[in-house]
Amino acid sequence: MSLTAVTNPFMPGHGQQPPYLAGREHEQKALLGLLGYLKSGRGAPRNAVLSGPRGNGKTALLRWVVQQVEDDGAIDAEWLTPSEFSGLDELATRLVPPRRFDSLRLDTFSVHIGVGKLGWKLEGQRGALTPLLKARCSRRPLMAVIDESHTLPSEVGQVLLNASQSVCAEAPFLLVMAGTPGLQHHLNTMSATFWSRAEKLGIRRLDKRAAAAALERPLAAQTPPIACSADALGEAVAASQGYPYFVQLWGASLWEIVRESGTADVDEAVVAAAAPAVGRSQSAYYQDRYQELEREDLLGVASGVAEAFAGQDSLRRKALNGAIAAALPEGRNGTTEVLQCRDRLSDLGYVWNPPDGDDGWQPGIPSLMAYVKDQTT
């Protein structure tokens, strides 16, 4: 068999969507519901916060919602990451491009706002972003997407969070933020009420049905179509553990084996042939994460936590705290130290507590825990 496509569909280019966004129906419905307010000329009743360990597909979901906005054409979308702005002037310039909104009546604002060659000049006035953004959104609805929000400087983030609540009350505006599990703590340092009032979406690993669809549908869409046997698909899904990044690795490797071998189907032999390439990529990923834990002096604790999770999908708070305390040195395992250590493991995505359910604490990637445990014993 000769595939018409020469580009691997499971390895999209930078900024492109995966071939099929599986298992995010709940999150998609929630985001579309919030956008509905903007289409009706109103501000969203709450902002959206997406959180989850790295590799779970938060950025892919953000790209999807931005694409919905762009395809509709009735709402503007602005995508930012904190690395693109260092202060309020840069943030305001991205959200309200001066050249596009040069006719705003600045003399009607209660604060002084100037404009220079590089953009708006708010002169350090923390309250200046609100009237500027409100005037901009009154002309055309805006969804602002902040990816990697866990790196947002607190002084800038606090202004943005306060502005979003004020603007939404009077103009069609929606703020969508995404980040690692540590995002909740980070946002709470900026505004005590923002997190509790937000639409909280925990981006989890995929269930078996969604992981299978993420592999099967892009293969079936090839020319000619590639079919997967149920047993082969089950093996690949089980090996991926529903972790979207690993699902992507499996899809890419299966596609390459089919392309090179000329077979028309993915059977257990194809899965076996694809496994070594996936394994090498996974090993490199595990090593990076292991070294990250090592630099943070968390390997002993991470190994103890892995032992506590053995054979379990989740742990209650008390059990997780107990495992951390037992792994810490005597005299350094008090409540404060345990919670600080747990928060750091959560920041790194080694464990996390999904914000939109009562499922207990979960592993970021179960197989990473097995790797850490094996390497440290």
Side-chain angles (χ1 to χ4, degrees):
M1 183 185 73
S2 177
L3 292 174
T4 300
V6 295
T7 302
N8 194 319
F10 292 94
M11 301 298 288
H14 179 70
Q16 295 180 341
Q17 278 288 87
Y20 176 63
L21 189 60
R24 302 303 183 204
E25 293 84 3
H26 168 71
E27 292 82 3
Q28 290 170 311
K29 181 178 179 180
L31 291 169
L32 289 177
L34 293 174
L35 286 174
Y37 287 92
L38 274 63
K39 293 185 67 174
S40 67
R42 294 179 290 168
R46 55 196 174 277
N47 296 298
V49 180
L50 285 60
S51 63
R54 289 169 290 179
N56 268 13
K58 297 183 296 296
T59 299
L61 186 55
L62 292 181
R63 291 194 185 114
W64 174 85
V65 71
V66 168
Q67 190 63 56
Q68 304 310 300
V69 168
E70 292 177 347
D71 289 346
D72 182 85
I75 302 170
D76 289 340
E78 186 64 46
W79 180 306
L80 305 91
T81 57
S83 62
E84 297 173 328
F85 54 89
S86 59
L88 289 179
D89 288 354
E90 293 90 341
L91 175 61
T93 299
R94 286 293 302 273
L95 293 177
V96 190
R99 292 185 179 180
R100 184 178 179 194
F101 296 95
D102 58 357
S103 61
L104 289 176
R105 288 288 307 278
L106 302 183
D107 59 340
T108 64
F109 293 171
S110 59
V111 294
H112 175 71
I113 298 176
V115 62
K117 292 182 179 180
L118 299 180
W120 297 112
K121 293 184 177 297
L122 306 187
E123 299 181 354
Q125 302 171 100
R126 295 170 64 85
L129 180 63
T130 297
L132 185 62
L133 188 56
K134 189 180 299 181
R136 179 254 180 270
C137 293
S138 295
R139 297 196 172 195
R140 186 168 169 83
L142 172 66
M143 177 185 69
V145 172
I146 313 292
D147 199 8
E148 303 294 329
S149 293
H150 56 280
T151 65
L152 183 65
S154 294
E155 61 277 9
V156 177
Q158 187 177 48
V159 175
L160 176 61
L161 266 54
N162 290 334
S164 72
Q165 295 184 30
S166 297
V167 174
C168 285
E170 299 184 35
F173 178 66
L174 169 65
L175 176 62
V176 180
M177 310 182 80
T180 61
L183 180 57
Q184 175 180 354
H185 174 73
H186 191 49
L187 293 179
N188 282 338
T189 65
M190 305 176 198
S191 170
T193 63
F194 185 86
W195 176 263
S196 62
R197 296 171 59 183
E199 179 77 42
K200 297 178 283 290
L201 302 173
I203 311 304
R204 296 170 165 83
R205 288 181 288 122
L206 302 174
D207 61 26
K208 291 181 179 180
R209 176 195 61 80
L215 288 172
E216 191 172 27
R217 290 200 180 189
L219 292 171
Q222 299 302 300
T223 304
I226 302 170
C228 298
S229 74
D231 289 342
L233 192 61
E235 284 188 18
V237 166
S240 74
Q241 296 191 314
Y243 184 53
Y245 175 58
F246 289 169
V247 172
Q248 177 187 9
L249 292 177
W250 270 104
S253 187
L254 291 172
W255 188 89
E256 290 290 350
I257 295 299
V258 168
R259 183 180 66 86
E260 293 171 1
S261 67
T263 183
D265 302 296
V266 172
D267 56 17
E268 291 170 277
V270 171
V271 171
V278 175
R280 287 191 294 272
S281 295
Q282 286 179 319
S283 293
Y285 189 72
Y286 293 149
Q287 289 173 24
D288 289 343
R289 301 296 293 274
Y290 183 91
Q291 291 169 5
E292 186 176 51
L293 291 165
E294 187 175 37
R295 288 192 296 270
E296 296 281 342
D297 194 24
L298 289 170
L299 281 179
V301 174
S303 181
V305 168
E307 182 70 39
F309 268 104
Q312 302 187 70
D313 295 327
S314 65
L315 287 178
R316 290 299 177 187
R317 190 180 311 273
K318 183 177 180 180
L320 176 59
N321 291 352
I324 294 173
L328 288 170
E330 190 70 30
R332 291 174 51 197
N333 58 354
T335 300
T336 299
E337 291 84 358
V338 167
L339 294 183
Q340 288 176 343
C341 193
R342 190 189 70 191
D343 286 345
R344 191 59 191 133
L345 289 174
S346 178
D347 290 343
L348 296 175
Y350 189 72
V351 296
W352 78 303
N353 184 216
D356 51 352
D358 187 27
D359 302 325
W361 286 78
Q362 302 177 6
I365 315 173
S367 54
L368 173 62
M369 287 192 171
Y371 179 88
V372 168
K373 184 179 175 183
D374 180 66
Q375 293 294 310
T376 54
T377 57

